[in-house]
């Protein structure tokens, strides 16, 4: 059964529709056959019961009384009616007022317990064959004869059954013809319905592999759902590809200069005979190596943010937990022990819908910028102001001048104090994280002696998942 369900689930839409129509026709055919046979039997019974009743009434009407005895002259017309069913056997019995048989077959008996039956129909047997009988009573009230004479006329059921089967066959012929018409019509309808899908498939097949522009949405409403989902997927894929192209170009752009500088310093070291100059070259190589390490860290951080921006599932995140995690990792205490880093979070939740790992990477970059270019002490915190939630890093420095401050946050943009040692990616990463989760990066001077970099998002109301 499981294999059958799996095969049906993977079958074509045409096969599914054909299976559904076939099941409908078979079920309907069974129901119509039963109904047609029941109707045929009822129609045949009604028709032949009228013939029986007519024959019995004709015989009863021909009975007369002479010398106190009933005289019977069987009318030919009564049997001509019953002769309309030539393959059936006919039997009759006329019962006198005392219950005696006046003429006919004694084998025809009234139903047990119904000897007082005066009219109507009943089923019985006639020489071992099923038959249908009609009873007509005629009342005589004369001086010489007072009582009821009963006329019983019966007929076997061959013609009735044949008529019922004939009606059923004709109904099934009509059903088969209509079923065939429905199948042909369904094929036309299914092909017409599937044409938009075939057109979409043809358009996708003919597309250039790098063409991720939206598909035409002028399609039927049911298909538009799939087209919109496909366009959304291609838009995310296009953003991912553009981000990866930017990452590759960033990597090539950023690594070219430090790698060339390291190679040049290594060549100088090889050709330099003086030991004092060699020591200076080694110091420069170490500085370049440390700078290259920081650059690689930022490039990896940017790659992580790019990957998780569209693929990571948004979850309820408390920004206080992000600030606490970055603070407790303690990288600042190892790399910049001369700085005092202070955690500033309150007791009330500061919750947003975002990705915790991306927020941590963004906050680490903001903290590194503050440690490299700001002044001690540095504060890490999360706060809630109305419907805006923010996670921020604040140092005691004055920050860059207003002209430079307006340009920070774009790729490869470096402040005046970081032209030689920064890639300009730190704030760009933070800006990408803010944009991915419908937030913004704010760089502002809070007072005359402090500078704050903050990621600001819409706060999540309490109880919302």
């Amino acid at each position: 059964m499981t294999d059958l369900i799996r095969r049906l689930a993977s079958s074509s839409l045409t096969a599914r529709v054909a299976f559904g129509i076939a099941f409908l026709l078979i079920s309907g055919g069974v129901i119509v056959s039963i109904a047609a046979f029941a109707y045929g039997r009822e129609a045949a019974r009604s028709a032949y019961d009228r013939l029986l009743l007519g024959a019995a009434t004709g015989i009863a009407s021909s009975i007369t009384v002479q010398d106190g005895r009933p005289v019977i002259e069987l009318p030919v017309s009564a049997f001509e009616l019953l002769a309309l069913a030539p393959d059936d056997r006919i039997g009759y019995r006329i019962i006198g007022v005392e219950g005696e048989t006046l003429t006919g077959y004694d084998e025809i008996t009234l139903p047990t317990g119904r000897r007082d039956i005066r009219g109507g129909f009943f089923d019985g047997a006639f020489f071992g064959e099923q038959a249908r009988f009609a009873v007509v009573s005629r009342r005589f009230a004369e001086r010489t004869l007072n009582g009821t004479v009963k006329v019983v006329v019966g007929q076997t059921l061959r013609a009735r059954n044949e008529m019922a089967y004939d009606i059923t066959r004709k109904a099934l012929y009509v059903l088969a013809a209509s079923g065939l018409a429905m199948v042909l019509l369904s094929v036309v309808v299914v092909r017409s319905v599937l044409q938009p899908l075939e057109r979409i498939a043809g358009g996708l097949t003919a597309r250039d592999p790098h063409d991720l522009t939206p598909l035409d949405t002028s399609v039927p409403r049911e298909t538009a759902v799939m087209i919109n989902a496909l366009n959304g997927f291609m838009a995310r894929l296009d953003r991912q590809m553009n981000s990866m192209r930017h990452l590759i170009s960033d990597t090539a752009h950023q690594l070219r200069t430090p790698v060339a500088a390291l190679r040049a310093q290594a060549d100088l070291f090889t050709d330099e005979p003086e030991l004092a100059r060699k020591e200076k070259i080694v110091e420069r190589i170490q500085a370049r190596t440390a700078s290259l390490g920081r650059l690689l860290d930022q490039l990896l951080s940017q790659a992580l943010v790019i990957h998780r921006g569209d693929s990571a599932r948004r979850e309820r995140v408390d920004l206080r937990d992000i600030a606490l995690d970055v603070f407790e990792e303690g990288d600042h205490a190892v790399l910049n022990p001369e700085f005092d880093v202070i955690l500033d979070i309150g007791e009330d939740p500061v919750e947003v819908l975002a990705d915790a790992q991306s927020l941590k990477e963004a906050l680490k970059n903001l903290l590194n910028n503050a440690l490299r270019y700001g002044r001690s002490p540095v504060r890490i915190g999360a706060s809630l102001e109305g419907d805006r939630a923010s996670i921020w890093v604040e140092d005691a420095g004055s920050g860059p001048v207003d002209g430079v401050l307006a340009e920070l946050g774009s790729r490869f943009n470096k402040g005046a104090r970081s032209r030689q040692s920064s890639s300009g990616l730190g704030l760009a990463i933070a800006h990408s994280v803010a944009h991915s989760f419908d937030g913004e990066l704010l760089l502002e001077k809070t007072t005359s002696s402090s500078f704050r970099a903050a990621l600001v998002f819409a706060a999540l109301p309490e109880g919302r998942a």
Side-chain angles (χ1 to χ4, degrees), residues 9 55 60 64 74 76 86 95 98 130 151 155 172 193 253 265 277 362 375 391 396 398 411 415 422 437 465:
T64 60
L74 296 177
V76 178
I95 304 172
E98 301 296 335
Q130 291 295 315
V151 178
Q155 186 181 40
L172 291 179
V193 169
H253 175 80
Q265 295 294 334
R277 290 187 177 182
R375 294 181 181 177
I391 186 169
S398 59
R411 292 185 311 131
S422 173
F437 302 109

Side-chain angles (χ1 to χ4, degrees), residues 32-46:
V32 171
S33 299
I34 295 174
F37 183 68
Y39 170 77
R41 288 188 61 184
E42 186 61 30
R45 170 175 290 190
S46 177

Side-chain angles (χ1 to χ4, degrees), residues 66 166 191 226 238 263 285 292 322 358 366 371-372 378 428 439 450 453:
Q66 293 181 3
D166 184 62
R191 293 302 301 271
M226 182 188 69
D238 188 44
R263 184 168 56 247
I285 290 177
L292 182 59
I322 304 299
S358 298
L366 295 181
L371 295 176
R372 294 183 63 188
V378 175
S450 64

Side-chain angles (χ1 to χ4, degrees), residues 231-390:
N231 284 339
F233 171 76
M234 289 197 301
R236 293 194 300 271
L237 185 61
D238 188 44
R239 288 195 298 270
Q240 288 282 341
M241 291 184 65
N242 287 333
S243 299
M244 295 308 296
R245 282 193 290 267
H246 286 315
L247 178 62
I248 293 172
S249 65
D250 291 350
T251 304
H253 175 80
Q254 291 294 313
L255 292 180
R256 184 181 296 113
T257 299
V259 170
L262 285 175
R263 184 168 56 247
Q265 295 294 334
D267 292 339
L268 289 175
F269 181 85
T270 302
D271 298 333
E272 180 59 52
E274 294 184 12
L275 182 59
R277 290 187 177 182
K278 281 188 174 184
E279 290 177 353
K280 292 182 179 181
I281 292 174
V282 170
E283 291 177 359
R284 288 196 293 268
I285 290 177
Q286 289 176 340
R288 287 289 185 178
T289 303
S291 176
L292 182 59
R294 288 191 295 271
L295 173 61
L296 291 177
D297 288 340
Q298 287 191 323
L299 288 174
L300 291 175
S301 178
Q302 186 186 31
L304 176 64
V305 169
I306 290 173
H307 170 71
R308 298 184 67 88
D310 277 331
S311 60
R313 180 176 179 269
R314 297 190 180 195
E315 298 177 344
R316 195 182 190 106
V317 179
D318 191 338
L319 297 182
R320 299 179 305 159
D321 294 336
I322 304 299
L324 181 62
D325 289 344
V326 172
F327 178 79
E328 289 182 343
E329 285 181 3
D331 292 343
H332 53 275
V334 177
L335 301 177
N336 302 86
E338 70 278 7
F339 272 79
D340 293 328
V341 179
I342 303 170
L343 180 65
D344 184 5
I345 57 176
E347 296 182 358
D348 297 328
V350 183
E351 295 181 324
V352 297
L353 278 180
D355 173 57
Q357 187 62 37
S358 298
L359 291 177
K360 287 180 65 174
E361 292 296 328
L363 186 61
K364 286 180 180 179
N365 279 278
L366 295 181
L367 178 60
N368 289 336
N369 280 342
L371 295 176
R372 294 183 63 188
Y373 309 121
R375 294 181 181 177
S376 182
V378 175
R379 298 167 58 231
I380 303 175
S383 58
L384 181 64
E385 298 177 2
D387 60 349
R388 306 287 286 174
S390 63

Side-chain angles (χ1 to χ4, degrees), residues 57 67 84 93 110 165 170 240 261 310 376 417 439 443 460:
T57 302
D67 299 330
L84 294 175
R93 180 187 176 190
L110 295 177
Y165 292 141
K170 290 179 179 178
Q240 288 282 341
D310 277 331
S376 182
R417 291 178 293 174
L443 304 174
L460 191 63

Side-chain angles (χ1 to χ4, degrees), residues 5-336:
I5 295 175
R6 187 181 298 112
R7 285 197 296 270
L8 289 176
S10 61
S11 61
S12 66
L13 293 178
T14 304
R16 293 187 185 186
V17 173
F19 178 80
I21 292 177
F23 178 77
L24 179 63
L25 290 178
I26 292 173
S27 302
V30 172
I31 295 174
V32 171
S33 299
I34 295 174
F37 183 68
Y39 170 77
R41 288 188 61 184
E42 186 61 30
R45 170 175 290 190
S46 177
Y48 282 96
D49 279 355
R50 289 192 180 96
L51 295 179
L52 280 177
L53 185 61
T57 302
I59 294 174
S61 299
S62 67
I63 299 176
T64 60
V65 178
Q66 293 181 3
D67 299 330
R69 295 177 59 83
V71 177
I72 303 168
E73 293 182 5
L74 296 177
V76 178
S77 60
F79 294 99
E80 286 179 347
L81 290 174
L82 298 178
L84 294 175
D87 295 331
D88 280 317
R89 302 177 66 181
I90 302 170
Y92 68 93
R93 180 187 176 190
I94 302 175
I95 304 172
V97 294
E98 301 296 335
E100 75 280 11
T101 301
L102 300 179
T103 183
Y105 296 91
D106 290 327
E107 290 80 4
I108 299 176
T109 59
L110 295 177
T112 303
R114 297 177 59 188
R115 297 190 61 85
D116 59 342
I117 185 172
R118 294 184 178 274
F121 300 91
F122 66 92
D123 295 320
F126 185 62
F127 291 104
E129 201 171 343
Q130 291 295 315
R132 178 77 166 169
F133 297 91
V135 180
V136 174
S137 297
R138 184 176 178 184
R139 176 73 177 176
F140 291 92
E142 299 183 9
R143 282 183 292 177
T144 57
L145 182 63
N146 185 11
T148 300
V149 176
K150 297 177 182 177
V151 178
V152 183
V153 179
Q155 186 181 40
T156 56
L157 305 180
R158 295 178 185 178
R160 295 167 180 259
N161 293 337
E162 181 60 31
M163 182 177 180
Y165 292 141
D166 184 62
I167 293 175
T168 304
R169 281 195 298 270
K170 290 179 179 178
L172 291 179
Y173 292 155
V174 174
L175 177 64
S178 61
L180 180 60
M182 288 179 62
V183 170
L184 296 177
L185 180 62
S186 64
V187 170
V188 175
V189 171
V190 169
R191 293 302 301 271
S192 175
V193 169
L194 295 182
Q195 277 184 354
L197 296 180
E198 295 175 355
R199 187 168 64 250
I200 293 170
L204 287 174
T205 303
R207 275 195 169 206
D208 184 90
H210 301 287
D211 184 6
L212 295 176
T213 57
L215 294 172
D216 183 16
T217 56
S218 58
V219 293
R221 184 168 56 249
E222 293 78 8
T223 312
V225 177
M226 182 188 69
I227 293 297
N228 292 333
L230 188 58
N231 284 339
F233 171 76
M234 289 197 301
R236 293 194 300 271
L237 185 61
D238 188 44
R239 288 195 298 270
Q240 288 282 341
M241 291 184 65
N242 287 333
S243 299
M244 295 308 296
R245 282 193 290 267
H246 286 315
L247 178 62
I248 293 172
S249 65
D250 291 350
T251 304
H253 175 80
Q254 291 294 313
L255 292 180
R256 184 181 296 113
T257 299
V259 170
L262 285 175
R263 184 168 56 247
Q265 295 294 334
D267 292 339
L268 289 175
F269 181 85
T270 302
D271 298 333
E272 180 59 52
E274 294 184 12
L275 182 59
R277 290 187 177 182
K278 281 188 174 184
E279 290 177 353
K280 292 182 179 181
I281 292 174
V282 170
E283 291 177 359
R284 288 196 293 268
I285 290 177
Q286 289 176 340
R288 287 289 185 178
T289 303
S291 176
L292 182 59
R294 288 191 295 271
L295 173 61
L296 291 177
D297 288 340
Q298 287 191 323
L299 288 174
L300 291 175
S301 178
Q302 186 186 31
L304 176 64
V305 169
I306 290 173
H307 170 71
R308 298 184 67 88
D310 277 331
S311 60
R313 180 176 179 269
R314 297 190 180 195
E315 298 177 344
R316 195 182 190 106
V317 179
D318 191 338
L319 297 182
R320 299 179 305 159
D321 294 336
I322 304 299
L324 181 62
D325 289 344
V326 172
F327 178 79
E328 289 182 343
E329 285 181 3
D331 292 343
H332 53 275
V334 177
L335 301 177
N336 302 86

